[in-house]
Amino acid sequence: MEVVAYLASALIGISLGLVGGGGSILTVPVLVYLFGIAPLMATSYSLFIVGSTSLVGAYQNYKNGQVQVKTALLFGLSSVTTVWLSRKFLIPAIPPHIASFKHFELTENMLVMSLFAILMLIAAIAMIRSGKNNVEEPTVAKDLNLPKLLFFGVGIGFITGLLGAGGGFLLIPTLVILLGLPMKEAIGTSLFIIALNSLIGFSGDFGHFDIDWVFLLKITFIAIVGIFIGGNLSKKVDSKKLKIGFGWFVLIMSVYILTKELLFK
């Protein structure tokens, strides 16, 4: 089981390198179900792992001129602030036992994993649809709509803060549709935003969790190796087919988690 867990850790980075997202969707389930880490702690670890891995991926894209730093920083003004506030004040406020309904008890762990499974379900549908549809590359960059940019930044920041997920599957279409970025630039810029959100959000956890740094750095290193593998593989395989296949995998995992958390507790 330990070998499977470490292979799954590499898959976090490989998925980021192959399809430009999806790594954070795997991180929390891998930490919870394969390494036995408590869900809230797993969301904290996920922020560091995903943030560090995305930063490496963003640097690779930056060298190729595929990161719009100004756009990422502007978007990050609202998203990073929301992530940090969520981790600093919202997460510690969640009680271990939230509510009881006859024979059903809603716990902190159940809430986090159920919400995460719903996020996985949405991400899976988005990946399957984007893999099937031909995305038209923008010919002209759109005028910047600051209120919409800030609104999406707050929304994605809240998701990242609550569930430890980077939100790449939401960020990429937002950057393409809202700002008119070409797909490759949207992926690179998305990775940079995810890195900012995740790593700054992780700093909001200081004092709330007892971090096992040896374990965390080991998993992060494996995921970073994975992103290099994924980047090389992406040059040789059809990314659309991969995205569809990965989407179906995430869909099955989301149904499994929901079933396990809600029906077999």
Side-chain angles (χ1 to χ4, degrees), residues 11-229:
L11 190 59
I12 293 166
I14 291 171
S15 66
L16 280 167
L18 278 172
V19 299
S24 60
I25 291 297
L26 293 175
T27 311
V28 170
V30 166
L31 292 171
V32 172
Y33 295 121
L34 297 182
F35 286 108
I37 294 172
L40 276 185
M41 174 71 86
T43 64
S44 181
Y45 281 12
S46 174
L47 288 172
F48 185 83
I49 295 165
V50 172
S52 302
T53 309
S54 297
L55 188 61
V56 172
Y59 178 68
Q60 288 179 291
N61 281 273
Y62 177 76
K63 289 192 297 183
N64 296 326
Q66 294 171 352
V67 176
Q68 289 204 8
V69 177
K70 183 179 178 181
T71 299
L73 293 176
L74 188 59
F75 194 99
L77 280 174
S78 57
S79 61
V80 167
T81 303
T82 308
V83 173
W84 192 86
L85 290 173
S86 298
R87 297 305 302 186
K88 192 68 178 177
F89 300 108
L90 177 61
I91 294 300
I94 300 176
H97 300 280
I98 298 169
S100 297
F101 308 95
K102 295 184 179 180
H103 300 293
F104 178 81
E105 185 175 5
L106 180 62
T107 64
E108 165 197 280
N109 291 347
M110 185 185 296
L111 175 67
V112 171
M113 293 311 299
S114 297
L115 289 175
F116 200 91
I118 293 169
L119 180 66
M120 289 177 73
L121 187 63
I122 296 169
I125 293 169
M127 282 187 281
I128 292 168
R129 291 182 64 182
S130 66
K132 289 181 178 179
N133 298 333
N134 292 319
V135 179
E136 293 184 7
E137 291 284 326
T139 54
V140 180
K142 299 180 181 179
D143 293 333
L144 183 63
N145 188 323
L146 189 57
K148 280 188 177 180
L149 195 67
L150 293 175
F151 175 77
F152 278 99
V154 169
I156 291 171
F158 178 75
I159 291 171
T160 302
L162 181 62
L163 300 176
F169 71 97
L170 293 172
L171 271 170
I172 293 171
T174 297
L175 294 171
V176 172
I177 296 167
L178 196 63
L179 301 180
L181 294 188
M183 184 60 71
K184 288 186 178 180
E185 286 188 20
I187 290 172
T189 305
S190 169
L191 286 172
F192 187 43
I193 295 169
I194 290 170
L196 289 175
N197 284 347
S198 300
L199 292 175
I200 294 175
F202 177 75
S203 72
D205 284 339
F206 292 165
H208 296 152
F209 298 106
D210 185 14
I211 305 295
D212 184 347
W213 284 102
V214 174
F215 170 79
L216 184 56
L217 291 173
K218 182 166 57 176
I219 300 303
T220 302
F221 174 76
I222 294 171
I224 289 172
V225 170
I227 202 169
F228 285 107
I229 296 171

Side-chain angles (χ1 to χ4, degrees), residues 217-260:
L217 291 173
K218 182 166 57 176
I219 300 303
T220 302
F221 174 76
I222 294 171
I224 289 172
V225 170
I227 202 169
F228 285 107
I229 296 171
N232 289 326
L233 287 174
S234 67
K235 301 171 186 176
K236 304 174 183 178
V237 293
D238 187 339
S239 61
K240 286 190 175 181
K241 289 181 180 178
L242 277 170
K243 187 170 284 189
I244 293 172
F246 187 69
W248 280 108
F249 171 72
V250 172
L251 181 66
I252 293 168
M253 285 297 298
S254 68
V255 173
Y256 167 78
I257 293 172
L258 275 174
T259 303
K260 183 178 186 301

